[in-house]
Amino acid sequence: MIVPLAACGSADAGKTTVDGKPIVKILVVQGTPQLPVKDMQWAKDLEKESGAKIEWKTVLDSAWSQQKNASIAANDIADLNIRAYRPEDAAQNPEAFEDFLADLDKLPNVKAFFDAKPTAKKYVDVDGKMYTLPSDRGKAFAASGQHMLINKQWLDKLGLDVPITWDELTQVFEAFKTQDPNGNGKADEIPMNLAPLPAESLGGWSNPFLFLNSTGIVTHYNSGPSQQGYYVKDGKVGNVMQTDQFRQVLDYLASLKKAGLVPSDWVTASSDVYRSRNKVGGSAAQVGAIFGWDQSGFGNIGSELANQYISIPVPSAPGVSADETVWDASGISGANEFEDYHMSMSSKAANKEACLKIIDLLYSEKYSVQQMWGSFGTYLKQTGDHSYALTDAMKKAQDDQKVPALEDRLAGWIPDEVTAEGDRNADSISAVDKANDEQYRNIGGEKNYFPIYVRLTVDEQNTVTNNNTTILSTVLPLIAKMAQNGVDDASWNTLQSQLESLNLQQNIDIWQKAYDKVVK
């Protein structure tokens, strides 16, 4: 009884184990398909190699969204945090987070990462501070997370070419609707399944306003100000909601609904309903086209249904030539390869040196590849210098939604020289992205999109966020109506008047200043 009481009363109480190992608490925000990180073999090996006692805490995405702000307000921040706190969170509460710039000499693997990928370092620079470390899941993901996918089996059966204009796309959709391409004798085809409009942003994942690229305006929907409508054209920042091109897209979406070529409830349908429509019918597809990540929107990669689809360049809008048509810049900017919030550290971490050692191990190739693809032995085999192969056990775990790895949530980086045979996610995203190669060349560089490292100051972010909240809550209902019913002069003028009165120009000016700071 005397020994433990003495330990509890010491200065190291709660900081070390009875045998003197430093205790490090790590919070990991995980997805539903992933097994708890504490059960992964690489996590056990990491603990042993670091010489620390690691206490893992797993929180699911759905729960963390409710817990994050409360944890910051209570200063209840774990020693280390994986994919939990964003740079903006830390910048608002700088006293609570470690500034890694002062620690880089103790993080040689992180320094090597930044030397190899300077964009990654710029991505987490917040007014000369570095409160978070980024991740890099590998060069294969230097691709957009947005693609247009169409049922090639239907095209072939009906003798149709891949459409290259909106007029041709509409004709293809009409054939999909009327000529029974799935061959089941029912008029059950959905020519294009559009994702519902979000309630708090304009753009985003798989968003129908990706059709803006058909008009020559570059979106950037993985992340960033493009999701609120801000864009860059020839170095000048604007907002798409004030453009004729946006009106053109709204009218096109409404025309698809009027012709019965998209679900009548697409604007307001739940995300679950939208996703379920893509997979109805088993191998007999019911959906002709979507905007999505890749064929996995229709089931497991390689499945009979998923294999019916190919990615295509977005068709050009009327009056827009092929060499003026562009595609979403999330990939070429780095917003799909990198994420900026995969490691943060409490400024009050009890064992700072142990924390830094763990971080540096995580950013080594040895632990990065295991975080990404599973532990050595059962799930991942090393086949040569920087070359690996996923085992059948790993592929089955992925298919069964019981993934023994962090995958894209890793706190680490996959160097360019690393290859991984059997990484279906990387192979798939690289393959579908090739369809947009010409449209990426049409963009013309950073003069026409926001680089991922364009960042606002804390005060600017507060102003822009407050303005955006008011702007979008006011105008999104009107935009939703126009996307369903079309645009007349009265509704368009109402939208423009609302935008002018709600400080939109102030936000445009702020983003212009931030853009000019890093680009011009």
Side-chain angles (χ1 to χ4, degrees):
M1 294 291 292
I2 295 175
V3 173
L5 286 173
C8 289
S10 72
D12 290 330
K15 300 180 182 179
T16 61
T17 62
V18 173
D19 57 354
K21 290 183 179 180
I23 297 173
V24 176
K25 299 178 180 180
I26 305 181
L27 170 72
V28 186
V29 181
Q30 292 188 231
T32 304
Q34 296 171 325
L35 299 177
V37 66
K38 68 180 178 61
D39 297 331
M40 300 178 191
Q41 184 58 49
W42 66 261
K44 299 173 184 177
D45 295 340
L46 173 71
E47 180 179 61
K48 183 177 180 180
E49 188 168 350
S50 71
K53 171 61 179 176
I54 298 178
E55 296 181 356
W56 297 96
K57 179 182 178 181
T58 296
V59 181
L60 293 178
D61 288 323
S62 54
W64 182 242
S65 62
Q66 305 296 321
Q67 296 178 22
K68 181 175 72 170
N69 291 339
S71 73
I72 295 175
N75 200 15
D76 183 18
I77 297 171
D79 297 327
L80 300 179
N81 305 272
I82 296 177
R83 211 171 187 263
Y85 300 103
R86 295 180 178 273
E88 293 80 7
D89 300 322
Q92 296 276 7
N93 306 273
E95 69 287 342
F97 293 90
E98 179 76 8
D99 178 3
F100 289 116
L101 276 178
D103 302 316
L104 287 181
D105 287 342
K106 298 179 180 179
L107 299 170
N109 287 319
V110 176
K111 286 184 69 175
F113 174 24
F114 289 155
D115 288 343
K117 301 282 186 168
T119 296
K121 185 176 182 181
K122 289 193 285 186
Y123 195 18
V124 291
D125 184 321
V126 180
D127 299 333
K129 304 288 185 180
M130 187 184 296
Y131 299 114
T132 66
L133 297 178
S135 67
D136 180 352
R137 53 180 164 171
K139 63 182 180 181
F141 291 91
S144 177
Q146 323 286 339
H147 299 95
M148 189 168 189
L149 299 150
I150 198 164
N151 194 305
K152 181 65 162 54
Q153 186 170 299
W154 287 10
L155 290 176
D156 292 345
K157 180 177 180 180
L158 301 181
L160 300 171
D161 295 327
V162 169
I164 61 174
T165 67
W166 279 4
D167 287 344
E168 292 179 8
L169 183 64
T170 302
Q171 292 170 10
V172 165
F173 288 164
E174 289 170 345
F176 284 176
K177 179 183 179 182
T178 61
Q179 297 182 32
D180 191 27
N182 66 12
N184 66 0
K186 302 176 183 178
D188 57 355
E189 288 84 359
I190 301 172
M192 185 167 193
N193 190 24
L194 294 175
L197 293 181
E200 298 178 351
S201 65
L202 186 72
W205 288 92
S206 305
N207 189 281
F209 293 132
L210 284 163
F211 275 124
L212 282 164
N213 294 281
S214 300
T215 73
I217 290 181
V218 182
T219 64
H220 191 288
Y221 279 171
N222 279 38
S223 62
S226 180
Q227 293 187 342
Q228 283 73 47
Y230 302 97
Y231 74 102
V232 182
K233 187 74 170 178
D234 294 326
K236 184 176 181 181
V237 176
N239 193 286
V240 299
M241 293 184 287
Q242 296 179 305
T243 67
D244 291 338
Q245 291 93 327
F246 185 61
R247 180 172 181 168
Q248 188 178 17
V249 171
L250 289 169
D251 274 331
Y252 185 58
L253 293 173
S255 73
L256 294 178
K257 181 190 173 186
K258 183 178 180 180
L261 304 179
V262 297
S264 60
D265 64 344
W266 75 265
V267 169
T268 58
S270 71
S271 295
D272 287 343
V273 168
Y274 160 72
R275 287 190 292 266
S276 68
R277 284 171 173 158
N278 295 333
K279 301 176 183 179
V280 170
S283 62
Q286 286 190 325
V287 168
I290 64 167
F291 289 124
W293 173 267
D294 63 7
Q295 290 92 340
S296 60
F298 301 96
N300 291 335
I301 294 296
S303 67
E304 186 176 358
L305 181 59
N307 284 343
Q308 295 184 27
Y309 294 85
I310 61 169
S311 61
I312 65 170
V314 66
S316 303
V320 180
S321 65
D323 59 6
E324 295 172 314
T325 306
V326 293
W327 188 241
D328 184 87
S330 299
I332 62 175
S333 74
N336 202 31
E337 178 180 358
F338 307 115
E339 286 191 322
D340 61 1
Y341 64 114
H342 281 232
M343 174 57 69
S344 58
M345 177 175 168
S346 169
S347 61
K348 297 181 180 180
N351 294 292
K352 180 176 178 179
E353 296 304 313
C355 288
L356 294 175
K357 184 176 182 179
I358 290 171
I359 292 171
D360 202 56
L361 284 170
L362 287 169
Y363 278 80
S364 68
E365 182 176 316
K366 173 183 177 180
Y367 283 103
S368 291
V369 297
Q370 292 183 91
Q371 291 179 75
M372 185 74 179
W373 297 302
S375 303
F376 288 137
T378 304
Y379 301 108
L380 186 67
K381 293 182 179 180
Q382 185 161 7
T383 57
D385 291 341
H386 312 297
S387 62
Y388 305 88
L390 281 68
T391 68
D392 290 340
M394 182 58 177
K395 297 172 187 176
K396 184 178 187 305
Q398 291 173 327
D399 290 345
D400 292 343
Q401 299 287 286
K402 296 179 180 179
V403 181
L406 293 181
E407 295 191 312
D408 62 334
R409 295 158 186 271
L410 82 164
W413 71 295
I414 306 299
D416 284 353
E417 60 266 28
V418 167
T419 61
E421 181 183 349
D423 183 356
R424 294 172 293 178
N425 293 326
D427 294 344
S428 178
I429 196 69
S430 295
V432 297
D433 207 55
K434 285 181 170 54
N436 300 106
D437 281 351
E438 182 177 345
Q439 294 179 339
Y440 289 140
R441 289 191 290 270
N442 294 343
I443 290 175
E446 292 180 348
K447 68 179 182 179
N448 289 320
Y449 68 87
F450 288 98
I452 58 172
Y453 45 82
V454 174
R455 192 177 296 281
L456 304 180
T457 66
V458 171
D459 288 343
E460 289 172 339
Q461 185 63 53
N462 288 337
T463 298
V464 166
T465 299
N466 290 336
N467 286 344
N468 279 339
T469 299
T470 302
I471 292 167
L472 294 174
S473 64
T474 301
V475 305
L476 286 181
L478 177 58
I479 288 172
K481 289 181 180 179
M482 291 191 289
Q484 296 175 87
N485 305 321
V487 186
D488 56 33
D489 289 342
S491 59
W492 183 253
N493 291 337
T494 297
L495 173 63
Q496 300 312 307
S497 297
Q498 290 175 338
L499 294 173
E500 291 173 10
S501 66
L502 295 173
N503 291 325
L504 179 61
Q505 187 60 48
Q506 182 182 29
N507 281 8
I508 292 172
D509 293 341
I510 290 172
W511 278 115
Q512 184 74 63
K513 178 183 175 182
Y515 172 86
D516 290 345
K517 183 179 179 180
V518 299
V519 177
K520 292 186 177 181

